[in-house]
Amino acid sequence: MPKFLKMKEATRWSVSSTGGVLESLGYNEGYRVDVDIPEGTWAEALSFHDVLLFNTGHWWWAPSKFDPVKSPMLFFEKGLPVMPPIPPAVGLDMVLKHMISFVERRMKPTAILFFRTQSPRHFEGGDWDQGGSCQRIHPLSPQEVGKLFSLENNGTNVETRLVNQHLYKALNCSVFNVLDITRMSEFRADAHPSTAGGKKHDDCMHWCLPGVTDTWNDLFVAHLDNVQRRN
C-alpha cells in the first residue's frame, strides 16, 4: 500500500525575550516554517517504501489562519529567519526545492514517487469563516468551474490552482510522477459534507465517502500500473 505523506507543518513562533532579527522588524508572533527540515514520519519512510505519494496542504494561501500581519508564516533556513521576510508563495518554492532534493538523495533506487495535486474547495459566498457554503446537489458545469476557480477573479477557492502552478514548476524534470486530481474534482461541488459535517460552518473542503476520493484511488492505481509497465 502507498503511504500518504505531507511536508512539515508550521509551528507557532513568538517573540523571544532576548530579541532577534524578526523582533527588530516588529514581529511579535506567527508560524515558523523550516524550509529545509523534513517532517520526521515521511523522512524516515523514504528508506523502506517502494511507492510514495506526497501532497501538500491548503494553508499556503489561508489569510483566515495565517494573517499576514497578526499571524504570518515566518520562513527559516538553516535555523535562521530568511531575510528579508518572504511571502508564502516564495516560501512554498523554497520548501518544494528542499523537499525534492532531500527525497532524491534518500529514496530507494527502485522507488516510484508521486505528487498529488491540490484537492479543491467549493466555498461560495465567502470563506469558511465568512458564511461560505456548498449547497449544490449537482456537479458544476464547465462554465461554473471556470468562474469559481478563476485566477483572474482571485476568489475564495483560488488557492488550488495557485499552488498547482508552483507544484508543476518545481516537479518539472524531477523523479516525481504528477497525479492530477484537481480538474476532475473541481466539478464536484456537490460532494462535500456541507452542513452534515458536524462543524459550526459548512464543510466544503473534505469529501463524502464513498465519493470523489475513491476515484482518486482508481486513478492512482492506473497511473502506478502505467509507470510499472514503462519501467
Side-chain angles (χ1 to χ4, degrees), residues 142-167:
Q143 293 75 23
E144 289 171 324
V145 168
K147 181 179 180 180
L148 192 62
F149 294 97
S150 170
L151 295 179
E152 289 74 21
N153 292 341
N154 195 31
T156 300
N157 307 290
V158 73
E159 169 269 341
T160 300
R161 293 187 178 184
L162 287 173
V163 172
N164 279 351
Q165 287 183 342
H166 291 264
L167 292 181

Side-chain angles (χ1 to χ4, degrees), residues 71 97 159 180 195 222 224 229:
S71 56
K97 176 182 176 181
E159 169 269 341
D180 185 357
T195 56
L224 179 59
R229 288 177 185 273

Side-chain angles (χ1 to χ4, degrees), residues 92-213:
L92 173 59
D93 288 336
M94 294 183 68
V95 167
L96 289 170
K97 176 182 176 181
H98 282 289
M99 184 277 295
I100 292 170
S101 176
F102 181 87
V103 170
E104 291 180 338
R105 293 195 312 269
R106 299 292 186 89
M107 62 179 280
K108 294 175 65 174
T110 57
I112 299 175
L113 306 181
F114 289 88
F115 205 109
R116 196 207 75 197
T117 60
Q118 292 298 89
S119 171
R121 309 184 308 154
H122 289 91
F123 287 97
E124 296 185 74
D127 210 332
W128 68 271
D129 59 341
Q130 301 168 340
S133 63
C134 45
Q135 299 293 318
R136 293 179 182 265
I137 58 174
H138 299 291
L140 301 176
S141 68
Q143 293 75 23
E144 289 171 324
V145 168
K147 181 179 180 180
L148 192 62
F149 294 97
S150 170
L151 295 179
E152 289 74 21
N153 292 341
N154 195 31
T156 300
N157 307 290
V158 73
E159 169 269 341
T160 300
R161 293 187 178 184
L162 287 173
V163 172
N164 279 351
Q165 287 183 342
H166 291 264
L167 292 181
Y168 276 106
K169 179 180 178 181
L171 296 170
N172 185 39
C173 297
S174 75
V175 297
F176 282 87
N177 298 279
V178 176
L179 182 67
D180 185 357
I181 56 86
T182 303
R183 179 61 177 169
M184 59 174 285
S185 304
E186 286 180 339
F187 289 87
R188 295 305 308 275
D190 60 318
H192 298 285
S194 187
T195 56
K199 301 177 181 292
K200 295 180 179 179
H201 56 82
D202 274 21
D203 186 348
C204 307
M205 180 177 73
H206 300 96
W207 301 95
C208 294
L209 294 175
V212 172
T213 56

Side-chain angles (χ1 to χ4, degrees), residues 1-5 41-42 45 48-49 51-54 220:
M1 291 291 291
K3 186 173 180 67
F4 289 75
L5 304 168
T41 55
W42 71 255
F48 57 85
H49 279 289
V51 180
L52 297 107
L53 176 57
F54 290 75
F220 167 69

